[in-house]
Amino acid sequence: KQWYQRRVRGTRMRIGRPASFLRTPRRPPPKLPFSEFLKGGGAERLLENKELRIADGTPSLFWDLEGWETRYPGYDDPPYTNADLIHAVTPDVKIIAIFRNPTERLLSEYIYFWKSDKMGMETRTPDTFHLDVLRETRKFNRCLENRPFRHCCFTNDHSLRLRVALGIYICYAKDWAEVFKENLLVLTMEEYHDKPVKTLLKVYNHIGLYEPNLDDLVDFLQTAKTQNSNLDRKGQFGPMLEETKQLLDDFYKPYNAALSEFFGDSKFLFM
């Protein structure tokens, strides 16, 4: 088996498998159809309500399957995901996923939760971030030595302090694309920042809304307040160490390549 290898602070470490490894993992075949699995639960009753309308923007729906090991005993990785549940209840729903450069996403999350009620008043610096990155990337790669790829992405054995697996978008995106097909629109935060009007028009078209007046849309984009900018904490934290950035870029590189190949779009290389 080939492995990408780099030297980090003089220590040779494995940082991930090549993209070719990621082309084949699929969900294990379920023991029964998902519609049968739902029987006896509250979700099946929603199917009878034809007037139900749902809008949700919870990012964790894309990846969070807490408790799946107990819910699906005997499986090495989950046979069903939130995509299956949502599709069973609202099969024609339109899904929009927005991905960010995973290296930047990880740092942003690390800073965002710093000094929150959950984290307390702990010290977080570029040095502590580097040490956490070393620990969690090694932990993920050790998992790959013994477990299937999807198990390592969905396992609950990840640190809440630094969730490196959430940036391995290919693992989750393949499940959603398999279920929703053309009803899934995948964007990047970078393309929205670079071309906000063009990107929003894609969204309007995807969900079947009339195009807005362009002047009104531009005015809105210029005057709207940015939410969760995190600027104060970012300024206090300082820039990421260059060696940390290189480590994360190398770690995510094969997964970004697999994502780019899967959707046929180089924007997912995050170059």
Side-chain angles (χ1 to χ4, degrees):
K1 299 178 181 178
Q2 286 185 306
W3 294 77
Y4 283 92
Q5 296 182 325
R6 296 288 186 275
R7 289 189 178 275
V8 180
R9 290 186 170 178
T11 302
R12 196 173 183 85
M13 62 174 293
R14 296 168 176 174
I15 65 167
R17 299 189 182 188
S20 59
F21 166 74
L22 301 173
R23 293 172 188 160
T24 55
R26 297 180 61 86
R27 293 186 292 174
K31 296 175 182 177
L32 72 168
F34 191 69
S35 57
E36 293 295 316
F37 178 80
L38 286 177
K39 285 186 176 179
E44 65 174 344
R45 292 194 293 274
L46 293 176
L47 293 172
E48 302 171 3
N49 187 350
K50 302 303 182 182
E51 299 304 316
L52 183 65
R53 296 292 182 269
I54 299 175
D56 187 87
T58 307
S60 59
L61 282 176
F62 196 73
W63 51 263
D64 188 9
L65 284 180
E66 183 175 359
W68 70 266
E69 293 98 332
T70 301
R71 194 155 58 248
Y72 309 126
Y75 286 99
D76 285 332
D77 51 290
Y80 308 118
T81 68
N82 292 330
D84 295 293
L85 175 59
I86 293 173
H87 187 267
V89 175
T90 54
D92 296 323
V93 70
K94 299 298 181 71
I95 304 295
I96 302 171
I98 304 176
F99 297 146
R100 181 180 184 179
N101 182 309
T103 295
E104 296 177 3
R105 187 214 71 83
L106 191 65
L107 177 63
S108 180
E109 180 185 62
Y110 189 77
I111 296 174
Y112 181 78
F113 288 112
W114 180 31
K115 295 185 178 179
S116 68
D117 292 338
K118 188 177 292 186
M119 297 298 182
M121 296 296 289
E122 66 174 330
T123 299
R124 290 194 173 190
T125 67
D127 288 320
T128 64
F129 180 63
H130 184 81
L131 293 175
D132 287 338
V133 166
L134 281 173
R135 184 185 65 252
E136 293 304 315
T137 51
R138 287 169 173 168
K139 184 178 180 180
F140 186 87
N141 288 325
R142 283 197 301 270
C143 179
L144 288 179
E145 294 176 2
N146 303 295
R147 296 282 195 168
F149 172 63
R150 292 180 75 253
H151 175 99
C152 296
C153 293
F154 283 106
T155 182
N156 296 319
D157 191 31
H158 293 309
S159 168
L160 292 177
R161 179 182 174 93
L162 196 76
R163 302 181 293 184
V164 296
L166 302 195
I168 303 176
Y169 305 130
I170 183 61
C171 179
Y172 317 105
K174 288 181 74 172
D175 290 340
W176 287 82
E178 177 184 306
V179 173
F180 285 101
K181 300 179 174 61
E182 68 276 2
N183 280 351
L184 171 68
L185 173 65
V186 183
L187 305 169
T188 68
M189 184 177 290
E190 289 75 14
E191 70 179 303
Y192 173 70
H193 285 167
D194 292 342
K195 300 177 180 179
V197 172
K198 181 179 179 180
T199 305
L200 285 177
L201 290 179
K202 282 185 185 179
V203 172
Y204 272 77
N205 180 66
H206 179 68
I207 61 181
L209 293 178
Y210 291 110
E211 286 191 6
N213 178 282
L214 291 183
D215 290 335
D216 291 340
L217 180 58
V218 170
D219 181 68
F220 170 77
L221 290 169
Q222 291 176 342
T223 59
K225 182 180 179 181
T226 302
Q227 301 294 322
N228 298 325
S229 63
N230 220 15
L231 291 178
D232 290 342
R233 279 184 245 186
K234 286 181 179 178
Q236 184 179 352
F237 185 87
M240 184 191 318
L241 297 178
E242 186 58 37
E243 59 184 316
T244 313
K245 182 180 184 304
Q246 186 64 55
L247 170 60
L248 285 172
D249 286 348
D250 288 344
F251 175 78
Y252 286 121
K253 184 176 181 179
Y255 306 117
N256 293 342
L259 187 70
S260 175
E261 180 178 346
F262 182 72
F263 286 111
D265 197 323
S266 62
K267 69 184 179 184
F268 298 113
L269 295 173
F270 300 103
M271 301 294 288

